[in-house]
Amino acid sequence: MLNIVLFGPPGAGKGTQAQYLTEHYQLIHLSTGDIFRYNIKNGTELGKLAKGYMDEGQLVPDEVTIKMLQSEVDRHEAANGFIFDGFPRTVEQAKALDNFLSDKSWTIDHVPALEVPDEELVNRLLNRGKTSGRSDDQNEEVIWKRIGEYNDKTAPLKNYYEESGKLRHIDGVGSIEEIFGRLKEAIG
Ligand code: AMP
């Protein structure tokens, strides 16, 4: 079992790197953002609820997000392990994840944190917005709101994972291959 929380602000490259890591380590990739977008596309109640928050660049409430993530993990009981991409984003979510995994005698093994300067994040997201079809990538105000949410609610999680010795700072600037190399080195 290998469980990785891929940490980093919006636009840090979590989704791209998670795809590489998933293949390399044969894991299940769980992106809460992707799951919300899937629900929005399919017009589910969850999607309707999440959309309001996502359009504003705000976090979806913990209770809803945690429940959704847990049911996704439960669907993959036989997995080799998971890459959590975009989850947890609050201390509440991190604690819920730890408790939920420990009920299964599982644990988080590695928390690589991709570090990218804010200006580069905004440029990357605006660029991605030209092709991603994501409205939250096309509006600079919403992008800054997402970065603000990250700084207020998600960055404090670094302390949480630092205390358990799992956090590793990874330079998130460079080519996809370079960054993937750094991640593999950190994970081992
Ligand atoms: P992402 O695809 O990770 O950039 O997430 C897009 C949006 O989905 C975020 O701006 C949030 O509104 C919502 N979202 C994704 N993951 C979470 C989470 N763990 N907690 C709360 N909201 C989330």
Side-chain angles (χ1 to χ4, degrees):
M1 194 75 189
L2 174 66
N3 292 313
I4 299 169
V5 167
L6 188 53
F7 199 85
K14 297 188 298 296
T16 304
Q17 293 298 334
Q19 281 177 14
Y20 278 68
L21 293 167
T22 300
E23 197 172 318
H24 186 77
Y25 293 103
Q26 297 291 302
L27 305 172
I28 301 287
H29 176 195
L30 290 183
S31 155
T32 38
D34 284 351
I35 303 167
F36 283 133
R37 282 184 287 277
Y38 178 84
N39 276 276
I40 291 172
K41 211 172 99 196
N42 288 287
T44 69
E45 285 306 312
L46 177 63
K48 283 177 201 154
L49 185 145
K51 188 176 185 324
Y53 295 97
M54 291 170 78
D55 285 349
E56 298 295 324
Q58 292 174 346
L59 294 187
V60 178
D62 281 341
E63 203 191 316
V64 180
T65 307
I66 290 167
K67 222 170 103 190
M68 175 183 90
L69 191 276
Q70 291 182 344
S71 73
E72 287 295 321
V73 173
D74 281 337
R75 282 180 49 212
H76 299 282
E77 282 281 347
N80 280 335
F82 294 88
I83 297 201
F84 299 100
D85 160 9
F87 184 96
R89 262 177 155 103
T90 63
V91 174
E92 209 51 50
Q93 291 180 14
K95 287 182 179 164
L97 180 62
D98 278 348
N99 289 336
F100 173 68
L101 294 181
S102 92
D103 285 348
K104 298 176 187 292
S105 303
W106 296 347
T107 183
I108 296 294
D109 300 295
H110 299 281
V111 185
L114 293 170
E115 313 279 356
V116 177
D118 283 358
E119 278 66 30
E120 168 132 6
L121 294 175
V122 175
N123 286 336
R124 285 188 189 180
L125 289 169
L126 284 170
N127 255 327
R128 186 170 78 183
K130 292 178 192 158
T131 51
S132 69
R134 283 179 57 169
S135 62
D136 62 344
D137 284 346
Q138 289 168 25
N139 177 327
E140 192 165 337
E141 202 179 313
V142 173
I143 289 175
W144 279 110
K145 175 78 194 160
R146 287 159 65 198
I147 294 174
E149 287 278 85
Y150 172 81
N151 288 329
D152 290 348
K153 299 177 182 162
T154 309
L157 264 177
K158 285 188 195 173
N159 287 335
Y160 181 85
Y161 286 119
E162 201 125 43
E163 277 164 21
S164 54
K166 292 174 182 167
L167 190 84
R168 292 286 297 275
H169 298 276
I170 307 288
D171 181 0
V173 179
S175 71
I176 291 175
E177 290 74 21
E178 278 166 348
I179 299 165
F180 180 49
R182 292 173 200 150
L183 284 166
K184 275 190 296 189
E185 209 179 297
I187 294 164

